[in-house]
Amino acid sequence: MLSFTALLGIATLALCTRISVADDGLTDEQRSALKQNTDPVRAAALRLSDSQLQWWRGAKVGMFIHWGLYAVPGEGEWVMHNKKIPADEYAKYADGFTAVKFDAKAWADLAQRGGMKYAVLTARHHDGFSLWDSPSSHGHFTSMNAASKRDIIAEYTAAMRSAGIGVGIYYSPMDWRFPAYFKPHELPDNAQLMKQQTYGQIRELMSRYGKIDVLWYDGGWLAHKGSDADAAWLWDPITLNTMVRELQPNVVISPRSGWEGDFRCEEGAGEIKGPIRDYAWEKCLTLGRAWGYTKDRHTMALAEVQAHIVNAVTRGGNILINVGPDPEGVIPPEQVKVIEKLGQWLQTVGPAIYATRPGPFEPVDGVCGTTQRDRFVYVHVLRWPEGGLVLPSLPKPVKSSRVLTGGSVQVAATTEKTVLTPAPGTDRPAVTIIELELQP
Ligand code: H79
């Protein structure tokens, strides 16, 4: 923690100067930061203010959607790389990408029913296949030139926007089809082509589809090693994101272009642990076996997703829950079911989740955590200790309490401690959430 704070201090000192787009758009400090190959490149002036980020921090739950050509073989989004499929072979899957049942309104409706406040769709993953009519796409490798013959991003952005769901776009700067991804120093011309594609496509995505709420970069690294920041010498993320800010002043940007971005990511199904984090962050995880569609029917259990949500919000984070539609555009029914059940659950526990802040107490890994809003404190219990849950004393006396998840819990609050005990014989759901209304 200390080292992070120290680093931030140094970086802020180095980068608090103005952002200029003249010439290469970089200050001397920024240029040297780009070459240091260590930390994410920082540029405080590119970051959103707290008030610009407020909607996102309050939104808490989003729907991630991984859809692309990889849905056709149905072995996950890394199939091209994992199975060493040559680009021209891989391109043949375009005949199978029909999207015949793709209905952006149905996706938006699912997000709504699921209590998801924003969505993020893979406009282009590492395989280079683009889900929109993209003049900058190398080889016009797009959903317009596949069996689908549709601009998926156009339909998606319009549907989400009109449903009131925040519109998010995922984009991978790197593209496996370019030999320079593997040998960027040896193939400088090819590397420049790949970079031009990224700049051209980001410009398209940020200028042709109305207001975009989230830009989720992923895969800013190069040569299959190192960090995103190590590859900043090529991507030049400050110039890239200066362009993005001109086109979309309020878009929330992920940290994976090599620039630190507006929030931090925690990826995968590992348990969320540790104390409250005092920065904006997001857990992303997938319901399926991979992020992209797989033919097995595996789905994460509802209780596990609920625990992840609670573990994220009690530590100040958001959560992005992924589904992987099939080549026709159908989200697997098992995943739909989990999202719908989450939505029903969020209807009752929503007050403890949305628009809350973490605290007043630090979470205990695997046991409990708290959130708060106005005069309300919410206690999220994952595992009841023998004899009840003992918390520190609350800042004010308790005026009333109720259990959002059903059943009843006895609350004994004194100036020394707060003790919560479930009534004998009551059901113990995966998470018990208790609302405590404090005296004004
Ligand atoms: O889109 C989903 C995944 O496909 C994507 N992120 C989620 C949201 C993802 N791509 N890669 N990874 C996750 C992990 C990548 C790890 C590695 Fe590497 C890439 C190992 C080797 C190359 C990291 C980057 C370590 C070295 C370079």
Side-chain angles (χ1 to χ4, degrees):
M1 205 61 205
L2 227 170
S3 64
F4 164 69
T5 317
L7 279 171
L8 194 72
I10 293 162
T12 314
L13 263 180
L15 294 165
C16 63
T17 41
R18 113 217 103 98
I19 298 302
S20 151
V21 282
D23 305 324
D24 64 359
L26 299 179
T27 62
D28 289 342
E29 289 88 346
Q30 287 164 349
R31 205 174 293 104
S32 82
L34 283 178
K35 291 191 178 116
Q36 273 167 11
N37 294 358
T38 48
D39 250 353
V41 178
R42 301 188 197 274
L46 282 179
R47 298 193 66 180
L48 295 181
S49 66
D50 289 348
S51 67
Q52 284 172 305
L53 201 54
Q54 197 186 354
W55 76 268
W56 185 87
R57 295 209 75 175
K60 303 295 179 190
V61 192
M63 186 164 83
F64 214 172
I65 310 167
H66 273 67
W67 198 34
L69 265 203
Y70 42 79
V72 178
E75 295 170 57
E77 77 288 355
W78 271 64
V79 62
M80 176 181 174
H81 184 81
N82 291 345
K83 293 205 149 175
K84 300 187 168 56
I85 306 172
D88 52 349
E89 277 297 310
Y90 184 78
K92 292 178 185 164
Y93 287 128
D95 294 339
F97 188 79
T98 65
V100 283
K101 294 183 183 155
F102 168 57
D103 178 355
K105 282 205 182 76
W107 288 10
D109 185 56
L110 178 64
Q112 236 172 11
R113 275 182 287 134
M116 320 264 136
K117 304 297 183 189
Y118 58 105
V120 178
L121 170 63
T122 50
R124 212 210 71 191
H125 207 266
H126 312 330
D127 61 358
F129 181 71
S130 301
L131 290 184
W132 75 102
D133 188 2
S134 173
S136 304
S137 167
H138 178 68
H140 299 286
F141 189 41
T142 78
S143 58
M144 301 302 289
N145 296 323
S148 49
K149 296 202 183 336
R150 285 158 81 173
D151 186 323
I152 306 294
I153 292 296
E155 296 181 45
Y156 158 83
T157 49
M160 290 296 168
R161 199 172 290 125
S162 59
I165 305 289
V167 182
I169 285 182
Y170 167 112
Y171 183 85
S172 164
M174 68 84 159
D175 181 336
W176 287 319
R177 297 176 304 150
F178 289 80
Y181 163 67
F182 298 94
K183 296 184 169 188
H185 294 289
E186 293 85 338
L187 302 168
D189 294 345
N190 191 248
Q192 285 306 316
L193 272 186
M194 182 169 68
K195 178 180 177 181
Q196 273 167 27
Q197 175 180 261
T198 288
Y199 276 64
Q201 291 200 307
I202 289 291
R203 179 176 286 284
E204 291 164 18
L205 290 168
M206 295 299 113
S207 60
R208 297 183 173 200
Y209 299 99
K211 182 169 179 278
I212 304 300
D213 300 302
V214 177
L215 172 56
W216 218 101
Y217 291 113
D218 188 21
W221 68 79
L222 286 168
H224 229 58
K225 60 175 197 276
S227 67
D228 299 315
D230 290 334
W233 63 270
L234 175 68
W235 301 120
D236 188 355
I238 294 188
T239 303
L240 180 64
N241 290 299
T242 298
M243 172 181 84
V244 171
R245 279 278 173 260
E246 282 167 7
L247 299 167
Q248 298 282 349
N250 296 307
V251 67
V252 179
I253 304 178
S254 87
R256 294 184 170 174
S257 66
W259 168 57
E260 62 177 325
D262 294 307
F263 64 93
R264 294 194 227 171
C265 291
E266 177 175 318
E267 177 166 327
E271 189 184 342
I272 303 165
K273 292 183 175 171
I276 294 169
R277 305 176 196 175
D278 63 356
Y279 46 81
W281 67 280
E282 179 183 66
K283 171 79 164 181
C284 62
L285 54 80
T286 182
L287 296 181
R289 206 168 286 289
W291 298 83
Y293 175 69
T294 59
K295 287 174 181 163
D296 65 81
R297 306 233 130 190
H298 173 84
T299 304
M300 186 181 284
L302 177 69
E304 191 181 343
V305 188
Q306 290 168 331
H308 282 300
I309 293 176
V310 158
N311 283 332
V313 297
T314 56
R315 290 165 178 80
N318 281 19
I319 189 160
L320 193 55
I321 300 164
N322 181 72
V323 297
D326 73 12
E328 295 189 328
V330 176
I331 299 173
E334 296 78 11
Q335 299 183 354
V336 169
K337 207 164 137 191
V338 172
I339 301 276
E340 284 174 342
K341 290 211 161 142
L342 275 179
Q344 287 160 13
W345 179 71
L346 284 163
Q347 287 216 334
T348 43
V349 307
I353 308 280
Y354 303 118
T356 60
R357 294 177 291 124
F361 306 131
E362 284 291 351
V364 179
D365 293 347
V367 178
C368 66
T370 52
T371 53
Q372 53 188 327
R373 186 178 15 75
D374 307 326
R375 277 182 290 122
F376 296 93
V377 169
Y378 298 93
V379 183
H380 306 243
V381 187
L382 297 155
R383 183 161 51 77
W384 284 101
E386 278 301 319
L389 180 67
V390 183
L391 298 169
S393 63
L394 290 156
K396 293 273 170 65
V398 176
K399 187 177 167 198
S400 68
S401 69
R402 64 184 178 120
V403 188
L404 301 185
T405 45
S408 74
V409 170
Q410 195 200 332
V411 180
T414 68
T415 48
E416 274 85 51
K417 59 186 178 180
T418 312
V419 183
L420 305 178
T421 328
T426 44
D427 281 353
R428 297 200 185 175
V431 189
T432 304
I433 304 181
I434 302 128
E435 180 185 80
L436 304 174
E437 184 187 5
L438 305 189
Q439 303 276 11

